[in-house]
Amino acid sequence: AQRVTQPEKLLSVFKGAPVELKCNYSYSGSPELFWYVQYSRQRLQLLLRHISRESIKGFTADLNKGETSFHLKKPFAQEEDSAMYYCALRRGNQGGKLIFGQGTELSVKP
Amino acid sequence: ETGVTQSPTHLIKTRGQQVTLRCSSQSGHNTVSWYQQALGQGPQFIFQYYREEENGRGNFPPRFSGLQFPNYSSELNVNALELDDSALYLCASSRDSYNEQFFGPGTRLTVL
């Protein structure tokens, strides 16, 4: 069965420190991987997807098929990055069904 | 462009009752997906509707059912409510089943 694992429920860093939110997945086919973010009192929104290979708000994520990982990274955390982050997987032939991890709460302290 | 809206915001039901949750998709979107998010968990896929037809279903019992209307709005119906159905129910719409999903604010359901 497909699964997404985010091992950290809470990650706390100081402003300016590097951030890495971990995401591992299990899927034998070709997955599409996403990071979603939910800021306080806002709705869930797409942050980035692996096929775009772009940097959004300074965040990047590289799909590592050998390690089945899709870790989210930012070199210098900002206080406004504090939010819930969810990693999600979509099977290549399954349209819209997203499989989410449990989420990691990122807290950036001043 | 109006975003995805859901109603009601909150509701409280008792075990055994039935509930209907509603979702209006974003303009230009023909696909609606429903997710259940229990406290402290990530969203879990319930089902998806594409142009009024069910287009995939997650691991939920048949008492979870849905509809999509010609204007692409959608309903989620849950019969014979159980305590474990207490959760935030999220709806997401997209241009089609392969495009970015835009989420609504959710409906918080409490089953007593």
Side-chain angles (χ1 to χ4, degrees), chain A residues 9 32 34 36 38 43-47 49 84 86 90-103, chain B residues 3-5 33 35 37 40-45 48 55 57-58 90 97-105:
Chain A
K9 286 188 83 77
E32 293 182 69
F34 306 83
Y36 280 80
Q38 187 167 28
R43 57 189 68 189
L44 197 60
Q45 59 186 285
L46 179 65
L47 179 62
R49 63 184 81 187
M84 280 296 296
Y86 295 95
R90 185 167 69 193
R91 295 183 291 185
N93 63 347
Q94 285 290 311
K97 175 181 178 179
L98 290 168
I99 299 165
F100 285 88
Q102 289 193 316
Chain B
V4 178
T5 60
S33 304
Y35 295 85
Q37 186 173 21
Q41 304 294 316
Q44 265 197 292
F45 178 77
Q48 182 184 83
N55 183 43
R57 188 179 180 92
L90 296 170
S97 61
Y98 289 89
N99 270 281
E100 178 183 348
Q101 295 185 19
F102 292 81
F103 283 82

Side-chain angles (χ1 to χ4, degrees), chain B residues 59-76:
Chain B
N59 189 26
F60 280 81
R63 59 190 185 83
F64 285 78
S65 63
L67 278 175
Q68 187 178 32
F69 300 99
N71 67 355
Y72 302 130
S73 65
S74 179
E75 285 182 356
L76 163 65

Side-chain angles (χ1 to χ4, degrees), chain B residues 90-111:
Chain B
L90 296 170
C91 151
S93 75
S94 50
R95 289 193 183 280
D96 58 41
S97 61
Y98 289 89
N99 270 281
E100 178 183 348
Q101 295 185 19
F102 292 81
F103 283 82
T107 293
R108 173 74 62 189
L109 172 65
T110 301
V111 182

Side-chain angles (χ1 to χ4, degrees), chain B residues 13-14 16-20 76-81:
Chain B
K13 292 285 188 178
T14 55
Q17 285 190 309
Q18 178 266 342
V19 70
T20 298
L76 163 65
N77 299 291
V78 187
N79 293 322
L81 283 167

Side-chain angles (χ1 to χ4, degrees), chain A residues 71-83:
Chain A
H71 303 327
L72 183 68
K73 300 177 184 178
K74 184 169 183 176
F76 307 103
Q78 303 299 315
E79 288 179 70
E80 55 265 30
D81 295 329
S82 296

